[in-house]
Amino acid sequence: MSVQRSVSDCVDARKSVRKFIPDKPVPEQVVRDLLSKASRAPSGGNTQPWHVYVVSGKVRQEISALVDQEFQNGNFGEPPEFHIYPKPEQQPAFMERRRKLGYEMYSLMGIERDDKFSRLNAMKENFNFFGAPVGLFVTVDRVCDKNGWGHVGMFLQTFCLLAVEAGMATCLQEAWENYHGLVGKKLNIPNSEMLVCGLSLGYEDTTAKVNGLRSERVPVHEFASFQGFSSNL
């Protein structure tokens, strides 16, 4: 009998997996069930502004091959439709966290800081879905404002937690924004939608050192304030 995992356990276990078992498939019905459950995620006014394009098999391979060809042609991305990160001077703390995470990740992969070739190849694995058999592309209606993007974020988190509960792993990939036009053309995504991110879905390769990465979180007192409580904590 399988043991039901608690929400807290799934939240704690969720992580960005950067190496999957490529020959362990995820059936279409399993993905459909995850999406059906994830659709219970909250959204303002029940607008549900998310759209999902799921790829596997030949189509998944074709998308990866298209990006690989772009790399070979020296085209390392398209003009972005949004800024994935703010400028370093706008919020130095964000940059510090990114640098720390990058250092830890590349260290686990055995890649030196000045090894630009290996770093580029590691980054390129994003577009092979890190070996995952299934990729998802999530979009939002362009008419949505910032709150609509937040609703899509809640949907994504819900999906990732459900994947953990089902014994699978994920990696959310904003890197696909670098090829939003290529993805949109290949999957016939209407212009009324904007790509938010890609998502790799599959089973974690537990032998890969990079999957041992556990990113830090700032303590509660650094991001939350409490008022009106009687305790003296």
Side-chain angles (χ1 to χ4, degrees), residues 77-99:
E78 307 165 10
E81 293 199 288
F82 65 90
H83 297 294
I84 297 176
Y85 304 110
K87 295 178 180 179
E89 63 270 19
Q90 293 176 316
Q91 180 47 277
F94 291 178
M95 191 70 236
E96 291 176 11
R97 293 169 193 165
R98 289 175 57 201
R99 283 173 175 163

Side-chain angles (χ1 to χ4, degrees), residues 177-189:
E177 167 60 15
N178 292 306
Y179 292 100
H180 60 87
L182 180 152
V183 173
K185 182 178 180 180
K186 176 64 178 177
L187 300 181
N188 295 314
I189 297 175

Side-chain angles (χ1 to χ4, degrees), residues 74 137 206 215:
F137 294 99
T206 57
S215 54

Side-chain angles (χ1 to χ4, degrees), residues 1-2 4 8 29 52 59 134 143 164 168 171 225:
M1 181 186 300
S2 61
Q4 189 77 18
S8 295
Q29 189 57 52
V52 185
V59 177
V134 174
V143 295
V164 172
M168 289 179 284
C171 187
S225 64

Side-chain angles (χ1 to χ4, degrees), residues 131-209:
V134 174
L136 296 87
F137 294 99
V138 180
T139 69
V140 63
D141 288 288
R142 290 183 185 273
V143 295
C144 292
D145 208 333
K146 296 174 183 177
N147 63 322
W149 283 68
H151 303 155
V152 175
M154 289 187 282
F155 170 82
L156 286 165
Q157 171 74 340
T158 303
F159 182 90
C160 290
L161 296 182
L162 288 164
V164 172
E165 181 190 45
M168 289 179 284
T170 58
C171 187
L172 293 162
Q173 299 167 269
E174 290 174 314
W176 279 103
E177 167 60 15
N178 292 306
Y179 292 100
H180 60 87
L182 180 152
V183 173
K185 182 178 180 180
K186 176 64 178 177
L187 300 181
N188 295 314
I189 297 175
N191 291 331
S192 59
E193 299 171 23
M194 182 184 295
L195 181 66
V196 174
C197 69
L199 188 154
S200 295
L201 174 69
Y203 294 90
E204 176 185 354
D205 181 348
T206 57
T207 67
K209 290 184 178 180

